[in-house]
């Protein structure tokens, strides 16, 4: 999950990285009202996922409320384009921030170095809008440090990097703590990337994160379900949030066009199940991948999520037992359907692999008739969905 700047800065503040004061808004009138109340110099920053907003004309400066409103109207609705993003991205919201007087712009980021299997910190004194060029033409101007995650971060790493990267003296005092906070954020929120570009040294000697780029690993979002909700503006994102809310990754749940709810473990088996349903003349309403090692409780939550889609009028649960145990799945199904508060739809279950026998016994005892093959299950589900 990629975060917008204002969201990244929310996380920055949680871990103690200084950011400029500001407000987030979707309304030009708000900008006028805010600047009227808070006279001074402000930056209007377009909130889009794409980088390079400065060069694309998405960053504007305002010295009074009227100018602020005019620029906000100009930016909102504008489609920003860059080399990386030629189709462009529409600006729907703005971050209005106190303009800081910049003495120096540095670059700092943390990502995972897959080859080294370690987080790698990158620092450069040539931050700002041309850092890509620095990386290309003068890679030595970007200093790296591979953190041993079993030991973690120590301030000496920050001191060493500030020195090696020749950050201006004004950074020396604040930098180690900021990098430590960035490392905490990276680890605690399961990030793939955290980047501050520019990390500004102000003319009055403060070190401030002027920009924020944060990408979180979807598989870690269950630890911070409130963040998974942040993007829940479009329908697709609501589905993602729903999957995270029950402890799965955000791409584990997808809504489709038909009437048959599908639960399977693994994307491949899910695809196969949907194909089998189509061959049998039906259409999947949705697909939930419950992943490996699904416990009874997760199966129950999954059942409830899939049946919360009103179009679902039959369900096909197709589980290949490996790490996932058939008896656990069967217990989850029986538990899910035991309550009065669940929506009961005609159900077809196929269990194979680990503990499938026991799973089938549990289902038998509860009055379900499990099917043997995927095609048989698909045909049965289509018939049930059609009221037969
Ligand atoms: P990006 O182009 O999408 O990475 O957006 P940034 O937030 O990094 O802003 C781009 C550039 O705008 C920065 O490198 C700064 O040079 C400039 N800028 C942003 N905020 C301020 C500010 O508060 N004061 C000044 N003087 N320049 C700013
Ligand atoms: Mn930037």
């Amino acid at each position: 999950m990629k975060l917008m700047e204002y969201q990244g800065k929310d996380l920055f503040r949680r871990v103690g990285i200084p950011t400029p004061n500001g407000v987030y808004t979707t309304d030009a009138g708000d900008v006028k009202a805010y600047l009227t109340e808070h006279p001074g110099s402000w930056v209007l920053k377009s909130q889009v996922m794409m980088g390079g907003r400065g060069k694309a004309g998405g960053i504007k400066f305002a010295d009074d409320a009227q100018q602020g409103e005019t620029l906000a109207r100009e930016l909102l609705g504008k489609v920003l384009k860059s080399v990386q993003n030629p189709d462009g991205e529409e600006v729907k919201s703005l971050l209005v921030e106190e303009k800081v007087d910049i003495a120096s712009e540095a670059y700092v980021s943390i990502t995972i170095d897959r080859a080294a299997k370690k987080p790698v910190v990158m620092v450069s004194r040539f931050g700002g809008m041309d850092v890509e060029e620095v990386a290309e033409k003068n890679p030595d101007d970007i200093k790296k440090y591979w953190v041993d995650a079993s030991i973690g971060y120590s301030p000496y790493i920050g001191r060493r990097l500030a020195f090696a990267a020749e950050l201006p003296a004004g950074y020396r005092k604040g930098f180690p703590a900021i990098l430590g906070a960035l490392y905490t954020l990276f680890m605690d929120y399961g990030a793939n990337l955290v980047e501050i570009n520019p990390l500004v040294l102000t003319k009055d000697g403060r070190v401030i994160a002027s920009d924020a780029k944060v990408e979180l690993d979807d598989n870690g979002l269950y630890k911070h379900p409130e963040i998974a909700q942040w993007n829940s503006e479009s329908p697709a994102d609501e589905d993602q949030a729903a999957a995270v809310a029950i402890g799965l990754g955000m791409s584990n749940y997808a809504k489709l066009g038909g009437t048959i709810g599908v639960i399977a473990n693994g994307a491949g088996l899910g695809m196969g199940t949907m194909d089998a349903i189509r061959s049998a003349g039906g259409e999947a309403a949705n697909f939930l991948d419950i992943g490996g090692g699904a416990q009874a409780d997760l199966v129950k939550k999954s059942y409830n999520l899939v049946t919360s889609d009103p179009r679902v009028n039959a369900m096909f649960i197709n589980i290949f037992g490996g790490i996932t145990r058939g008896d656990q799945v069967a217990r989850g199904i029986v538990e899910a359907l035991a309550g009065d508060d669940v929506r009961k739809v005609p159900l077809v279950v196929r269990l194979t692999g680990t503990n499938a026998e026991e799973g089938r016994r549990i289902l038998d005892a509860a009055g379900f008739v499990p099917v043997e093959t995927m095609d048989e299950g698909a045909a049965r589900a289509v018939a049930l969905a059609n009221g037969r």
Side-chain angles (χ1 to χ4, degrees), residues 5 9 20 41-43 45-46 48 50-56 59 61 97-102 105 127-130 195 197-198 200 210-212:
E5 177 192 11
K9 281 180 170 165
S41 294
W42 295 85
V43 195
K45 308 188 75 177
S46 305
V48 287
M50 63 180 264
R53 294 165 302 167
K55 286 185 175 168
I59 309 279
F61 300 96
E97 277 189 341
E98 207 176 343
K99 183 181 176 188
V100 293
D101 283 332
I102 297 180
E105 295 184 286
M129 295 194 275
D130 294 315
E195 181 188 272
N197 184 35
V200 161
S210 174
D211 195 3

Side-chain angles (χ1 to χ4, degrees), residues 102-109 122-131 134-135 138-144 161-169 171-172 175 196-201:
I102 297 180
S104 191
E105 295 184 286
Y107 172 93
V108 55
S109 69
M122 289 190 252
V123 179
S124 175
R125 71 181 197 276
F126 300 106
M129 295 194 275
D130 294 315
V131 75
V134 174
N138 306 87
D140 288 348
D141 285 331
I142 297 176
K143 298 298 172 197
K144 298 182 182 178
L161 272 168
F163 184 76
E166 297 175 45
L167 295 188
Y171 281 102
R172 301 262 168 87
F175 185 75
I196 309 176
N197 184 35
L199 178 67
V200 161
L201 174 64

Side-chain angles (χ1 to χ4, degrees), residues 238-271:
E238 278 169 31
D239 296 346
Q240 295 173 346
V244 172
I246 66 168
L248 295 171
M250 62 195 290
S251 46
N252 283 41
Y253 183 55
K255 275 202 184 136
L256 305 150
T259 57
I260 299 169
V262 175
I263 293 177
N265 58 333
L269 186 60
M271 298 292 174

Side-chain angles (χ1 to χ4, degrees), residues 293-308:
Q295 300 288 306
D297 180 53
L298 175 61
V299 175
K300 187 174 161 182
K301 286 176 180 160
S302 301
Y303 177 93
N304 288 336
L305 172 56
V306 167
T307 52
S308 71

